[in-house]
Amino acid sequence: MSNSRDLHGLAQLVRDGRRYWASPAGQTLWRAERACLGPVCERLFGRHSLELGMAPVLSDICPIRHALSWAPTREMAAHDATLVCPPDGLPLADDSVSLVVIHHLLEVVPDPHHMLQEAARVTADDGRLIIFGWYPLSAGGLSRAWPGRRERMPGRGRWRTPGRLGDWLTFVDFEIDRVDYCGFHLPGGQPRNAMLETLGRRHNLPLGDSYMILARRRTQLVQPQRPGFELASPLMGPTLGSATRIGTPRAARCEKASLG
């Protein structure tokens, strides 16, 4: 995502997404997701958080000192503490962020695997990675079969189940702690029914329009060293037991606003 055409397409995508999240339907779902995030955020602490998405920031309710947001261009940056860069090339050091939130971006960006890889790279070993996604088996997901729904927000892109994203997280050495669902409504309606939302969240029914995945880095088991013999010559190539974290820092090709 390095040329001007890709950047222009990404900027237009974010503009379309911001219009949806500013609509009554988007605001209603945003409030439901914020309520879903609240109990999780209460237990999260650290120096920096980062949210990648098109909606107003959700994670500012977390007790983390410095909250960063993201934008694809400088003109779209909301404030000084905004990273201006492609979402798959974050200008941050490894293990530098206590909380990373990906909010409904993996469905629509051109390279979701690299984006997730970058988010995992910058998440601290004791930090958390939170992913909000659209649930394809919900009432909203099934309504995407209607003509025209896949051409406009929020129906655009590829919706994936939490199980599928669990496979992706395993690839970047993360594991799912929990999955919560939100945005409950009847087919053809909007997620504005407080009773359905309360009932769905209480029993965590897999029927909401969106889900929230809370993930952490997988615990690496330490292999005990055994007393043994010495080899006459060293082994060629990587030896058993060594590992390199997926997602090494790439060359800085992003522009960064002040980190505050």
Side-chain angles (χ1 to χ4, degrees), residues 3 24 36 46 54 65 77 85 95 102 105 119 131 139 141 146 149 152 180 183 194 213 216 222 236-237 243 252 256:
N3 60 49
C36 199
M54 301 175 284
R65 302 175 191 172
C85 63
D95 308 327
I102 301 176
L105 267 188
I131 301 172
W146 298 352
R149 286 294 181 92
R152 61 179 186 269
D180 293 284
I213 292 175
R216 71 171 76 204
V222 178
M236 298 300 293
K256 182 174 64 171

Side-chain angles (χ1 to χ4, degrees), residues 62-74:
C62 300
I64 293 179
R65 302 175 191 172
H66 186 210
L68 299 169
S69 60
W70 166 83
T73 65
R74 182 174 291 277

Side-chain angles (χ1 to χ4, degrees), residues 154-253:
R156 292 172 61 178
R158 185 173 179 181
W159 293 17
R160 302 173 180 89
T161 64
R164 181 59 176 157
L165 287 183
D167 294 338
W168 289 20
L169 287 165
T170 298
F171 182 75
V172 293
D173 289 331
F174 272 71
E175 59 186 357
I176 294 178
D177 262 358
R178 60 183 292 166
V179 179
D180 293 284
Y181 296 87
C182 49
F184 298 90
H185 63 91
L186 298 175
Q190 294 293 334
R192 297 172 184 161
N193 190 314
M195 184 181 70
L196 284 179
E197 190 70 26
T198 300
L199 182 65
R201 287 191 54 208
R202 178 181 300 163
H203 300 285
N204 202 23
L205 301 175
L207 298 173
D209 274 359
S210 69
Y211 55 82
M212 181 188 73
I213 292 175
L214 175 64
R216 71 171 76 204
R217 195 174 301 283
R218 297 172 65 186
T219 303
Q220 301 294 326
L221 298 178
V222 178
Q223 298 291 338
Q225 290 188 346
R226 303 177 184 175
F229 59 90
E230 294 183 359
L231 295 172
S233 60
L235 293 173
M236 298 300 293
T239 58
L240 183 64
S242 66
T244 301
R245 175 173 301 163
I246 296 172
T248 55
R250 58 184 63 190
R253 51 189 177 87

